[in-house]
Amino acid sequence: MTQKNAPKPEEKGLRCPKCHCRHLYVLRTRAHTNGRVMRQRQCRNCGMKLITYESPPAGYGQQDLPDISDLSEAQKDSLIQRLYDLFGKLF
């Protein structure tokens, strides 16, 4: 049996602080310090603008990179050429 006066579970997600609407548009997204992301949002209902900061989950972006010493000479040469093709034009 369910209780009629049982508390509702916590609702997750953003709400507009002014009108409590859940419909927020993202106007702008920018990289911020320490891998955080800054987003400027606007409420669809009342038009209020707010800024949120998001942090990546713990361990995000810290994967082990492959050791290039495991590559053959041909693979190293190919990698160097691809990097030059991508980034050599910048210098």
Side-chain angles (χ1 to χ4, degrees):
M1 289 174 67
T2 59
Q3 296 177 358
K4 291 182 181 180
N5 296 332
K8 293 182 180 180
E10 284 281 327
E11 293 182 358
K12 295 182 180 179
L14 293 174
R15 286 186 175 270
C16 173
K18 185 175 179 183
C19 70
H20 306 290
C21 177
R22 289 186 170 272
H23 302 283
L24 300 169
Y25 293 123
V26 175
L27 301 176
R28 228 179 6 185
T29 301
R30 298 283 182 262
H32 205 261
T33 58
N34 297 329
R36 295 182 350 158
V37 175
M38 188 255 335
R39 296 189 201 277
Q40 183 180 21
R41 301 173 185 267
Q42 184 174 19
C43 177
R44 183 173 73 177
N45 186 44
C46 70
M48 181 176 182
K49 292 182 181 179
L50 58 135
I51 294 176
T52 60
Y53 294 93
E54 301 171 25
S55 298
Y60 179 80
Q62 298 177 0
Q63 297 87 357
D64 291 331
L65 297 174
D67 187 4
I68 64 166
S69 63
D70 295 337
L71 299 176
S72 69
E73 288 302 317
Q75 289 172 321
K76 287 179 188 177
D77 291 341
S78 174
L79 178 60
I80 290 169
Q81 184 61 46
R82 288 192 328 197
L83 290 172
Y84 179 77
D85 290 344
L86 289 171
F87 299 108
K89 298 170 186 171
L90 298 176
F91 301 104

